Amino acid sequence: MSINNTSFIWTWTWNDQTDKTNKTTEQENKKPDFLAKSPLGKLPVIQVDNIHYLFDANTICRFLCSKNDKVVLIGTDLNGSLVDQWLEFESTLSTEQLIQKVNEHLSAIEDEAKRAHLVQDRATLSLADIVVWSALYQHLNAAAATTSHRSQFPVVAKWFDQLIEENQKFFTQAIKLAKL
């Protein structure tokens, strides 16, 4: 199974002429053919081959990362499980709970590493950092600097800013996409 055979089946598309976004509507998400691909009736969904569909954002991230031999964002064995642990946290906790847990974790390891990442054993960016960073973006980005999150959770704010600084090209592109 190669990444070339993977297709995104329901995506957001930008229409330059009307400045409007075409989205899968709520009614379309409840149709049997869509529910066969995504039992929860939610986006995103990708078609992996002629039979298989992936319908959870973190599952899709794991799949796409597993297809990239050049950049290891997941890891194997314990390292991969530590990444998965953060992806589970992100998908099950509210934003307020997530930011609190990230703050507790980073506060505990802050003295151990000058370049803190969510998965301690990694000296580089992992999928855990990317997914959690994305989940907290609306609360910690520069435009939100006046909110209480940055002052209430300075360790998380430092981690957030440090990821952008260390991986500027990647996160700059992600921020541009988020503004669409």
Side-chain angles (χ1 to χ4, degrees):
M1 190 178 341
S2 82
I3 195 76
N4 297 334
N5 294 337
T6 304
S7 63
F8 290 86
I9 57 170
W10 277 276
T11 59
W12 293 50
T13 56
W14 185 256
N15 182 333
D16 289 328
Q17 295 176 347
T18 61
D19 286 345
K20 292 184 180 176
T21 304
N22 300 316
K23 301 181 249 183
T24 301
T25 66
E26 190 71 29
Q27 295 84 4
E28 291 171 8
N29 290 4
K30 296 189 186 309
K31 290 181 179 178
D33 63 327
F34 186 91
L35 292 172
K37 297 168 180 107
S38 176
L40 299 175
K42 294 183 178 183
L43 296 173
V45 176
I46 65 169
Q47 183 175 358
V48 179
D49 55 27
N50 291 334
I51 321 171
H52 299 99
Y53 296 87
L54 298 175
F55 56 86
D56 173 76
N58 288 342
T59 300
I60 292 168
C61 286
R62 283 186 202 104
F63 171 76
L64 294 174
C65 286
S66 74
K67 298 299 176 190
N68 184 344
D69 295 335
K70 295 178 182 161
V71 179
V72 180
L73 293 172
I74 299 175
T76 58
D77 301 327
L78 177 60
N79 197 277
S81 296
L82 292 169
V83 169
D84 285 343
Q85 175 175 272
W86 281 102
L87 298 186
E88 286 298 317
F89 252 38
E90 184 276 330
S91 68
T92 58
L93 297 178
S94 71
T95 302
E96 293 303 320
Q97 291 170 316
L98 180 62
I99 199 168
Q100 181 65 40
K101 293 299 179 188
V102 171
N103 190 67
E104 290 170 8
H105 175 71
L106 292 174
S107 294
I109 68 168
E110 188 177 32
D111 294 336
E112 298 176 26
K114 291 186 180 193
R115 293 187 330 161
H117 295 277
L118 292 178
V119 177
Q120 278 176 259
D121 296 347
R122 294 184 62 99
T124 60
L125 187 69
S126 75
L127 184 59
D129 293 305
I130 295 168
V131 168
V132 173
W133 182 93
S134 299
L136 299 179
Y137 175 76
Q138 293 298 326
H139 300 278
L140 294 170
N141 68 65
T146 57
T147 67
S148 64
H149 286 106
R150 289 188 72 83
S151 58
Q152 187 177 358
F153 302 106
V155 176
V156 178
K158 177 181 169 189
W159 163 81
F160 182 89
D161 295 339
Q162 191 172 332
L163 285 181
I164 296 171
E165 185 178 312
E166 291 175 2
N167 305 280
Q168 191 145 27
K169 183 178 178 182
F170 172 81
F171 284 107
T172 301
Q173 289 174 344
I175 291 166
K176 284 179 186 175
L177 288 173
K179 291 180 180 177
L180 291 179

